[in-house]
């Protein structure tokens, strides 16, 4: 979930972003107030018996806001990134800080852990992606090629490639083993703020910042296949359902949309957050969607009905990133309040 230190809720700010853009231009742009979607009625909370998360622990070690969190596929480790330019690895069960990974020259926007559990990728405002050995913390590769801040990274299901989305208006695909650039996706002339790769590894979704749209790309050919439109403001998070049939998008218009990828139609608009939605993630079984917001809360939603299940409160500032554990019983959240909270299901 990309971090921009210049924004503030409650008022409109003019933000000047200078990047080397694929259209050969430099843009001056202005943010606008969040707009709540009116496409669906506010959902009434329901609480299934087995979905009741509570704060289990709070991790404090970073000196700056937490910009990203990720949980390892075996559920034993959690990684956190911060605007202090570092990554920290933690024992998820005990909260013990294991090591600190340093190397980025500016803050880190996004983290991803490979499905095979061997590699962690970090996307930086220093225009680079770094690949680290998860077990040892050793830096493996620094991927250079983007001309502006890298906002999001995602691994392919087989862990062999990694995709990166940048403010330079491109998505790049890299070979994890060699660190070499495989392909560049570009041409839609917009800033890329979020990406996600489908569970079958055939499709990549990217969000366009300025026109609030989603682009779908064929990973094998690099060709754009489809566009999705409906949000009123920038989309800062994308997530595929585990079965690959649904795409979720979280936006600064305070809503989350669920899209049927067979028909390219909107299924639900999830309304309930009081501020920008910054991060979304599906539960491992695909039945629940979690969303983190600038309103300091996490909301859990029933994917089938679009109904709100539970609201989690505990952070003192904006939530930038959330992650599910592989068993679905734990959520991790990183906040502007400089803490990571671990939420566990109470039965």
């Amino acid at each position: 979930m990309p971090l921009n230190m210049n924004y503030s809720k409650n008022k409109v700010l003019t933000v000047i972003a200078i990047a080397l853009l694929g259209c050969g231009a430099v843009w001056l742009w202005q943010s606008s107030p969040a707009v709540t979607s009116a496409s669906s009625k506010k959902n009434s909370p329901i609480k299934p018996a087995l979905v009741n998360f509570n704060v289990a622990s709070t991790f404090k070690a970073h000196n700056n806001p937490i910009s990203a969190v990720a949980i390892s596929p075996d559920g034993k480790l959690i990684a956190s990134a911060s605007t202090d330019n570092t990554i920290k690895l933690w024992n998820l069960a005990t909260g013990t800080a294991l090591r600190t990974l340093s190397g980025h020259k500016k803050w880190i926007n996004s983290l991803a852990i490979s499905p095979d559990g061997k590699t962690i990728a970090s996307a930086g405002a220093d225009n680079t992606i770094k690949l680290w050995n998860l077990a040892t913390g050793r830096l493996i590769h620094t991927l250079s090629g983007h001309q502006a801040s890298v906002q999001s990274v995602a691994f392919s299901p087989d862990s062999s490639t990694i995709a990166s989305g940048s403010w330079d208006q491109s998505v790049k695909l890299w070979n994890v083993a060699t660190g070499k650039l495989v392909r560049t996706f570009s041409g839609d002339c917009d800033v890329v703020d979020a990406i996600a790769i489908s569970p079958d590894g055939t499709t990549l979704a990217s969000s366009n910042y300025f026109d609030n749209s989603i682009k779908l790309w064929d990973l094998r050919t690099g060709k754009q296949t489809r566009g999705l439109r409906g949000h009123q403001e920038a989309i800062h998070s994308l997530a595929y359902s585990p079965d690959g049939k649904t795409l979720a998008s979280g936006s600064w218009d305070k809503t989350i949309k669920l899209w049927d990828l067979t028909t390219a139609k909107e299924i639900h608009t999830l309304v309930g957050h009081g501020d920008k939605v910054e991060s979304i993630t599906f539960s491992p079984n695909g039945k629940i969607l979690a969303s983190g917001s600038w309103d300091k809360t996490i909301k859990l939603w029933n994917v089938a009905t679009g109904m709100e299940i539970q609201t989690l409160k505990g952070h003192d500032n904006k939530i930038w990133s959330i992650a599910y554990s592989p068993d679905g019983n734990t959520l991790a959240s990183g906040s502007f309040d400089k803490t990571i909270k671990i939420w566990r299901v109470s039965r």
Side-chain angles (χ1 to χ4, degrees):
M1 293 6 76
L3 182 64
N4 190 321
M5 300 294 290
N6 296 319
Y7 286 100
S8 172
K9 60 190 269 191
N10 302 325
K11 63 180 180 179
V12 178
L13 292 180
T14 299
V15 183
I16 300 174
I18 298 177
L20 300 178
L21 302 178
C23 312
V26 176
W27 286 355
L28 172 68
W29 53 276
Q30 181 174 7
S31 66
S32 57
V35 178
T36 303
S37 170
S39 61
S40 70
K41 295 181 180 180
K42 187 171 181 179
N43 299 316
S44 301
I46 57 174
K47 293 188 176 182
L50 295 182
V51 183
N52 186 24
F53 281 91
N54 292 291
V55 175
S57 54
T58 300
F59 300 169
K60 300 178 181 179
H62 288 285
N63 295 319
N64 284 24
I66 311 300
S67 51
V69 292
I71 296 177
S72 61
D74 63 7
K76 294 180 179 180
L77 299 176
I78 179 172
S80 61
S82 170
T83 63
D84 64 13
N85 309 346
T86 70
I87 301 161
K88 292 186 182 293
L89 300 180
W90 311 75
N91 181 304
L92 183 56
T94 66
T96 303
L98 303 176
R99 59 176 54 90
T100 299
L101 312 183
S102 301
H104 280 287
K105 296 179 181 179
K106 292 185 179 180
W107 66 77
I108 300 163
N109 290 312
S110 177
L111 289 176
I113 297 177
S114 60
D116 64 11
K118 296 179 180 180
T119 310
I120 182 168
S122 53
D126 58 8
N127 307 352
T128 71
I129 305 102
K130 291 186 182 292
L131 302 182
W132 314 79
N133 183 299
L134 186 61
T136 67
R138 181 178 63 87
L139 179 63
I140 304 169
H141 297 298
T142 296
L143 311 182
S144 300
H146 282 294
Q147 303 300 309
S149 177
V150 185
Q151 299 296 98
S152 184
V153 285
F155 278 97
S156 63
D158 64 2
S159 303
S160 66
T161 56
I162 186 165
S164 55
S166 168
W167 275 4
D168 67 5
Q169 296 182 270
S170 75
V171 174
K172 293 183 182 294
L173 196 65
W174 311 81
N175 183 294
V176 171
T178 66
K180 301 297 184 182
L181 180 64
V182 176
R183 180 176 292 116
T184 297
F185 304 77
S186 60
D188 60 348
C189 198
D190 205 339
V191 168
V192 178
D193 234 3
I195 60 171
I197 294 178
S198 62
D200 64 4
T202 64
T203 305
L204 182 143
S206 66
S207 69
N208 274 7
Y209 187 95
F210 289 104
D211 70 4
N212 312 323
S213 71
I214 301 164
K215 307 295 184 184
L216 300 180
W217 307 82
D218 187 317
L219 270 176
R220 294 162 295 189
T221 66
K223 302 295 184 182
Q224 185 180 317
T225 60
R226 185 174 286 170
L228 305 175
R229 293 179 180 272
H231 281 292
Q232 301 302 308
E233 288 202 35
I235 299 162
H236 275 246
S237 187
L238 295 170
Y240 279 94
S241 61
D243 64 8
K245 296 179 179 179
T246 305
L247 183 72
S249 53
S251 170
W252 278 11
D253 66 10
K254 307 179 188 178
T255 73
I256 304 105
K257 291 185 182 292
L258 300 180
W259 308 85
D260 184 322
L261 292 176
T262 302
T263 64
K265 301 295 185 181
E266 181 184 321
I267 305 169
H268 299 297
T269 294
L270 312 183
V271 179
H273 279 297
D275 209 330
K276 299 172 174 66
V277 178
E278 190 72 25
S279 182
I280 53 175
T281 182
F282 279 95
S283 64
N285 65 11
K287 295 181 179 180
I288 297 171
L289 185 82
S291 57
S293 169
W294 284 27
D295 68 8
K296 309 175 189 178
T297 73
I298 299 166
K299 288 185 181 290
L300 305 179
W301 309 84
N302 183 310
V303 172
T305 66
M307 301 291 284
E308 181 183 321
I309 299 169
Q310 186 182 5
T311 297
L312 311 183
K313 298 179 179 180
H315 280 293
D316 296 326
N317 211 320
K318 307 164 188 172
I319 296 172
W320 282 101
S321 183
I322 54 176
Y324 252 111
S325 65
D327 64 7
N329 293 325
T330 302
L331 270 170
S333 56
S335 169
F336 215 79
D337 65 12
K338 306 178 187 178
T339 70
I340 301 136
K341 289 191 181 294
I342 307 302
W343 311 78
R344 300 194 192 277
V345 172
S346 300
R347 299 186 184 277

